[in-house]
Amino acid sequence: MESKEQFRSGFVAIIGRPNVGKSTLMNRMIGRKIAIMSDKPQTTRHKIYCVLTRDNYQVIFLDTPGIHKPKHKLGQHLVDTSLSTFGEVDLILFLVEANSFCGAGDRYILEHLAKIKTPVFLVINKVDLVPKEQLLPLIDELHSKYKFQEVIPVSALNGDNVDRLERLIAGCLPPGPKYYPDDMLTDKPEQFIMAELIREKILHLTSQEIPHSVAVIVEQLEERPNNTLYVGALIYVERDSQKGIIIGKKGQMLKNIGQLARQEIEKLLGSKIFLDIRVKVREDWRNKESYLKAFGYKD
Ligand code: GDP
Ligand code: K
Ligand code: MG
């Protein structure tokens, strides 16, 4: 009997220092915005699974929080989460930046990678920022110095070479089942993605100490007349002064956050929403187990 080409599937972890473009690359590969992105470190706090399904294969990508030396409980948890994925996957994409590779942060990760048997692709991201002449010697050097299975330059931002990366990934997948249905893009509920999109807008619009002190949950979803969805969200910060910054003069900051977030959520859902956001203070939540659990940062 003629048999079809065997279906392949596997888990691929995307790891690297904060801000190298892990979330951007994953969104690019699946063609949708699931993981939030910003120029602030620790934008990604959870492991997010994203699913890419083709005729002959399925890749489950894990977007991990950036790996860095932790300073508080949330930080420690983020690093643990990332390191623990090393041994559980079929392939690791170690993402670095073309314009600043191999500082202390990258070496910290290389040390951990040396201890595991999982194949590793070195993905050199942001090649749009450096001239080609500079890139080729770097690639040669990395190929000879380390035991990466592949060294691939890409631009997650404009998509350069990302299709080649996908082909190489597909070539590494073991025969396996279709773990998730064709139309499933992520393991996270929409409520979670909505909260993350709100948090992304806060990261973009605020500076200094605000980003790390913010948690967002969507606690209420309700169908309203005219096909409008009511979305009730809570922003948690650690101090009164931060609440003041989030709300802004005459409420302008919160208004801006809400407007930008609403547009993105409507794009995600394909329907109109009414977004109701309130701000609450929970002192020092990042160091309290109960809050880390309540906000979904810890099981
Ligand atoms: P993560 O912390 O590793 O998940 O990084 P993000 O995906 O949040 O991206 C961090 C920043 O780098 C964002 O401002 C992105 O727009 C930017 N970025 C990501 N990929 C590229 C790229 O290929 N080229 C350029 N120029 N910027 C990129
Ligand atoms: K980031
Ligand atoms: Mg990220």
Side-chain angles (χ1 to χ4, degrees):
M1 241 189 34
E2 200 64 38
S3 74
K4 273 204 318 191
E5 195 189 326
Q6 200 166 18
F7 197 83
R8 295 175 174 273
S9 60
F11 291 80
V12 176
I14 306 180
I15 64 162
R17 284 192 291 116
N19 272 353
V20 292
K22 298 178 293 297
S23 298
T24 309
L25 180 66
M26 192 179 70
N27 289 331
R28 166 69 63 183
M29 307 260 294
I30 63 160
R32 277 279 282 283
K33 181 159 162 191
I34 295 291
I36 65 168
M37 307 167 280
S38 89
D39 59 359
K40 311 282 195 307
Q42 288 190 42
T43 301
T44 306
R45 287 178 178 164
H46 308 254
K47 271 199 242 179
I48 301 179
Y49 288 49
C50 276
V51 187
L52 175 72
T53 308
R54 304 283 192 208
D55 289 345
N56 301 323
Y57 58 88
Q58 182 172 68
V59 191
I60 298 105
F61 290 104
L62 282 77
D63 182 18
T64 58
I67 299 167
H68 61 100
K69 288 234 166 84
K71 293 198 198 85
H72 48 74
K73 268 211 168 91
L74 177 60
Q76 179 63 54
H77 174 63
L78 298 181
V79 173
D80 289 348
T81 302
S82 296
L83 293 178
S84 73
T85 59
F86 281 23
E88 299 168 6
V89 293
D90 299 293
L91 175 68
I92 291 171
L93 304 184
F94 174 30
L95 213 62
V96 299
E97 283 177 341
N99 52 344
S100 67
F101 176 53
C102 239
D106 287 327
R107 280 200 300 273
Y108 180 71
I109 297 174
L110 280 169
E111 274 169 37
H112 283 275
L113 286 177
K115 293 180 214 150
I116 54 149
K117 292 202 183 78
T118 314
V120 180
F121 287 2
L122 179 71
V123 179
I124 306 175
N125 190 32
K126 307 195 185 184
V127 295
D128 53 292
L129 297 179
V130 299
K132 267 219 171 70
E133 313 82 78
Q134 219 168 296
L135 209 57
L136 296 175
L138 177 67
I139 292 174
D140 284 344
E141 185 195 326
L142 293 169
H143 249 316
S144 55
K145 211 155 143 193
Y146 301 99
K147 284 179 295 183
F148 297 117
Q149 186 152 333
E150 300 280 352
V151 177
I152 310 140
V154 301
S155 170
L157 195 66
N158 64 27
D160 267 1
N161 223 18
V162 171
D163 50 347
R164 178 161 166 259
L165 175 60
E166 186 185 323
R167 283 198 301 278
L168 291 168
I169 292 169
C172 270
L173 299 175
K178 199 182 269 187
Y179 292 100
Y180 297 102
D182 287 335
D183 57 356
M184 188 168 151
L185 290 175
T186 174
D187 67 319
K188 296 287 181 197
E190 273 170 348
Q191 218 157 326
F192 169 85
I193 308 287
M194 290 182 213
E196 286 287 276
L197 288 171
I198 296 168
R199 197 163 62 82
E200 181 186 64
K201 299 313 160 201
I202 299 168
L203 299 185
H204 285 192
L205 293 172
T206 62
S207 54
Q208 291 145 17
E209 96 271 39
I210 292 288
H212 298 331
S213 300
V214 166
V216 180
I217 58 170
V218 166
E219 53 155 19
Q220 205 185 345
L221 290 178
E222 220 177 272
E223 289 293 343
R224 293 279 166 90
N226 303 324
N227 280 329
T228 302
L229 180 70
Y230 171 90
V231 179
L234 289 172
I235 297 174
Y236 286 98
V237 290
E238 294 186 300
R239 285 191 296 279
D240 276 329
S241 59
Q242 296 168 338
K243 181 174 173 177
I245 293 171
I246 296 276
I247 291 174
K249 275 206 187 91
K250 295 185 180 160
Q252 193 58 47
M253 176 62 92
L254 189 58
K255 211 166 152 186
N256 293 344
I257 292 167
Q259 195 168 15
L260 292 173
R262 181 176 54 74
Q263 288 166 356
E264 289 240 11
I265 294 171
E266 289 183 342
K267 212 160 41 173
L268 176 78
L269 302 178
S271 66
K272 290 273 169 224
I273 66 162
F274 178 82
L275 181 57
D276 183 17
I277 308 181
R278 278 167 300 151
V279 187
K280 292 194 170 183
V281 179
R282 288 288 177 275
E283 256 171 58
D284 204 25
W285 67 259
R286 281 185 292 165
N287 277 315
K288 291 178 181 157
E289 294 276 327
S290 56
Y291 284 111
L292 293 180
K293 283 180 184 157
F295 297 151
Y297 295 133
K298 220 170 166 186
D299 297 327

